[in-house]
């Protein structure tokens, strides 16, 4: 069996979900051929730069504009119209992706970004137009893996055979918008297998130079080191209770250097890009982060409470609402409100209640579930082909 995992660089979450599925499928069915594909590789240099930098610039400098665009396009009829308009214009990147799909000939395409769905839908309609039974039989099973707790309309395409979503509420939203109930499964958002087991915090604290007698606040900036991290640390230093801070600056080397030389009242450890996020989250008593779908899923899988600062309108606001409604998170809209709110939480019963709520929401086996649900839907076709090899 051949499995293509299609994604797009747009923040770190879509790539992380693709990597988690790659890991999970290879463990689930070792003999299969699995390939990850980032569609950005087919973009022109200018398109690649605009795509890679545009989203981060927009949400960083004009989050309200992003929120307006998110809301205006979050209607199935609008999303379909946008895709029809895009198909009118020739696209070299689309043609390159089509060519690769036909050459690789996957049985399954797992999509951790909505962009590949447009091209896969176009290919399926083209194949169906030929009226060939063989061409239709060769069409891969298409899986849309929604990487936030709210499913934007762009994740919905007629070519999708299976939707794997974060929670039952996400599934209900898709069904209300016209998806067939049997095609939607609440698997959770795929995360790496290392988040399935809680690491022993003692050796991690020792390796990082953390004290055992202080609570640890972990501040995450995301893979690209964005967000008001310096402002957050400045406000945390105003909290009267004793605690220690662990900061991850991602790939932002400049931010790491800037923070590392600053003196602070509370012990502060500044790290760059980390490959042991499961261990870092595991030693945190409170996690301060943007509520991206992947980060949120990793934090919930390890049963840690999340503190959300200034979520951007759109998917982060939706993720934030999901967590707040279920008692797994707290939120401030302005960093200057952090000292009072964090001071209230540290050492409190409320913090323990948030941790319990997080554990209840965690889905550490989500990547495996996606693989199992996908294979379950492909299995009848596989068995039919085995029984009738000439079909």
């Amino acid at each position: 069996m051949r499995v293509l995992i299609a994604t797009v660089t747009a923040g770190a979450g879509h790539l992380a979900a693709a990597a988690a599925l790659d890991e999970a499928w290879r463990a689930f069915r070792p003999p299969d051929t699995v390939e990850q594909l980032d569609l950005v590789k087919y973009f022109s240099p200018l398109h690649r730069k605009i795509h890679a930098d545009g989203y981060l610039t927009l949400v960083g400098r004009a989050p309200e504009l992003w929120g307006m665009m998110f809301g205006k396009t979050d209607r199935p009829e609008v999303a379909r119209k946008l895709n029809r308009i895009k198909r009118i214009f020739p696209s070299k990147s689309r043609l390159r992706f089509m060519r690769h799909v036909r050459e690789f000939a996957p049985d399954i395409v797992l999509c951790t970004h909505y962009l590949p769905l447009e091209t896969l839908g176009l290919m399926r309609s083209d194949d169906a137009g030929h009226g060939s039974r063989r061409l239709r039989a060769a069409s891969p099973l298409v899986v849309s893996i929604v990487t936030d707790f709210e499913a934007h309309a762009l994740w919905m395409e007629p070519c999708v055979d299976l939707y794997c979503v974060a929670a039952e509420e996400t599934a209900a939203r898709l069904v209300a918008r016209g998806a067939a109930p049997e095609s939607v499964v609440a698997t959770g958002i795929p995360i790496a297998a290392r988040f399935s087991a809680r690491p022993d915090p003692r050796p991690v604290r020792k390796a990082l130079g953390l004290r055992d007698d202080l609570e640890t606040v972990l501040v995450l900036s995301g893979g690209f080191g964005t967000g008001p991290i310096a402002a957050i640390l400045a406000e945390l230093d105003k909290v009267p209770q004793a605690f220690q801070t662990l900061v991850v600056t991602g790939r932002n080397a400049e931010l790491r250097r800037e923070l590392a030389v600053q003196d602070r009242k509370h012990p502060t450890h500044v790290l760059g890009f980390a490959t042991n996020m499961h261990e870092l989250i595991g030693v945190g008593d409170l996690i301060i982060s943007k509520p991206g779908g992947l980060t949120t899923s990793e934090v919930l899988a390890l049963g840690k409470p999340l503190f959300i600062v200034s979520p951007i309108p759109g998917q982060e606001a939706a993720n934030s609402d999901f967590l707040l409604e279920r008692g797994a998170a707290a939120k401030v809209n302005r960093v200057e409100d952090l000292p009072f709110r964090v001071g209230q939480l540290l050492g409190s019963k409320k913090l323990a209640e948030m941790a319990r709520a997080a554990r209840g929401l965690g889905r550490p086996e989500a990547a495996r579930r996606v693989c199992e649900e996908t294979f379950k839907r492909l299995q009848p076709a596989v068995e039919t082909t085995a029984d009738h090899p000439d079909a």
Side-chain angles (χ1 to χ4, degrees):
M1 189 174 297
R2 301 173 70 80
V3 181
L4 180 64
I5 303 171
T7 191
V8 177
T9 299
H14 301 287
L15 301 178
L21 288 171
D22 188 307
E23 175 190 38
W25 196 281
R26 291 177 191 276
F28 176 56
R29 287 179 55 86
D32 292 351
T33 300
V34 182
E35 179 186 80
Q36 277 190 71
L37 177 66
D38 184 352
L39 269 64
V40 168
K41 72 177 284 186
Y42 296 131
F43 293 178
S44 69
L46 178 61
H47 187 189
R48 191 179 299 130
K49 181 171 178 57
I50 291 171
H51 181 86
D53 299 342
Y55 171 74
L56 295 176
T57 301
L58 187 59
V59 299
R61 297 185 181 179
E64 295 81 9
L65 178 58
W66 168 256
M68 184 187 72
M69 291 170 55
F70 185 96
K72 292 288 186 183
T73 57
D74 190 20
R75 300 203 304 273
E77 64 276 13
V78 173
R80 286 193 295 270
K81 186 180 295 184
L82 285 173
N83 282 337
R84 284 197 299 269
I85 292 170
K86 283 195 290 184
R87 288 171 182 173
I88 294 172
F89 299 97
S91 167
K92 288 183 179 179
S93 59
R94 186 191 302 131
L95 291 174
R96 288 169 183 156
F97 178 45
M98 283 181 170
R99 188 180 304 120
H100 183 83
V101 172
R102 289 194 169 108
E103 289 173 354
F104 184 72
D107 300 286
I108 296 164
V109 184
L110 304 174
C111 300
T112 66
H113 191 280
Y114 55 78
L115 194 59
L117 297 172
E118 175 209 346
T119 302
L120 293 167
L122 183 60
M123 292 179 69
R124 183 170 289 186
S125 62
D126 285 350
D127 287 349
H130 284 83
S132 164
R133 186 179 68 171
R134 187 171 295 279
L135 275 172
R136 288 199 301 273
S139 183
L141 184 85
V142 176
V143 186
S144 177
I145 299 143
V146 182
T147 54
D148 285 294
F149 288 85
E150 184 167 306
H152 191 281
L154 287 170
W155 287 98
M156 301 184 71
E157 264 282 339
C159 70
V160 174
D161 300 293
L162 173 64
Y163 293 95
C164 293
V165 299
E168 297 294 344
E169 291 83 352
T170 326
R173 179 179 176 83
L174 285 178
V175 171
R177 290 181 151 198
E182 64 274 12
S183 72
V184 188
V185 182
T187 57
I189 297 171
I191 56 176
R194 58 182 175 272
F195 291 95
S196 299
R198 293 177 193 166
D200 183 351
R202 291 169 297 182
V204 180
R205 280 198 294 261
K206 184 177 180 181
L208 294 170
L210 297 171
R211 289 171 52 177
D212 290 330
D213 61 332
L214 290 178
E215 287 185 293
T216 301
V217 175
L218 174 63
V219 181
L220 301 178
S221 66
F224 295 100
T226 58
I229 304 304
I232 288 172
L233 291 184
E235 295 299 328
L236 286 177
D237 234 28
K238 299 174 185 177
V239 177
Q241 293 98 315
F243 66 95
Q244 58 196 337
T245 308
L246 185 60
V247 188
V248 182
T249 60
R251 292 184 172 87
N252 193 333
E254 183 180 347
L255 177 63
R256 183 184 183 185
R257 288 192 296 270
E258 175 191 334
L259 299 179
V261 298
Q262 296 174 357
D263 293 327
R264 305 194 182 281
K265 179 177 72 175
H266 298 295
T268 303
H269 304 259
V270 182
L271 306 177
F273 182 76
T275 57
N276 63 332
M277 284 305 304
H278 62 301
E279 294 180 336
L280 302 182
I281 294 172
V283 299
D285 295 289
L286 179 64
I287 316 300
I288 297 180
S289 176
K290 291 281 191 180
L294 266 290
T295 297
T296 296
S297 298
E298 292 168 355
V299 170
L300 295 178
L302 293 173
K304 298 293 179 175
L306 192 66
F307 203 109
I308 300 163
V309 179
S310 306
I312 63 170
Q315 72 272 25
E316 285 192 1
N319 293 344
S320 175
D321 290 344
F322 178 87
L323 297 170
L324 292 169
E325 287 172 7
R326 288 150 188 83
K331 185 190 79 163
V332 293
N333 290 322
R334 295 173 296 274
V335 292
E336 57 265 33
D337 295 332
L338 269 174
F340 177 74
R341 296 289 302 282
V342 171
Q344 278 188 318
L345 278 176
L346 289 176
S348 70
K349 290 182 179 179
K350 176 65 175 176
L351 192 64
E353 291 170 2
M354 288 168 61
R356 282 196 295 273
R359 282 194 294 274
L361 293 173
R363 293 177 181 254
E365 301 295 334
R368 175 81 180 195
R369 281 284 319 279
V370 171
C371 297
E372 291 171 346
E373 292 293 336
T374 300
F375 186 70
K376 188 188 301 181
R377 279 155 179 77
L378 191 68
Q379 217 169 2
V382 172
E383 290 169 354
T384 300
T385 304
D387 292 341
H388 306 283
D390 295 328

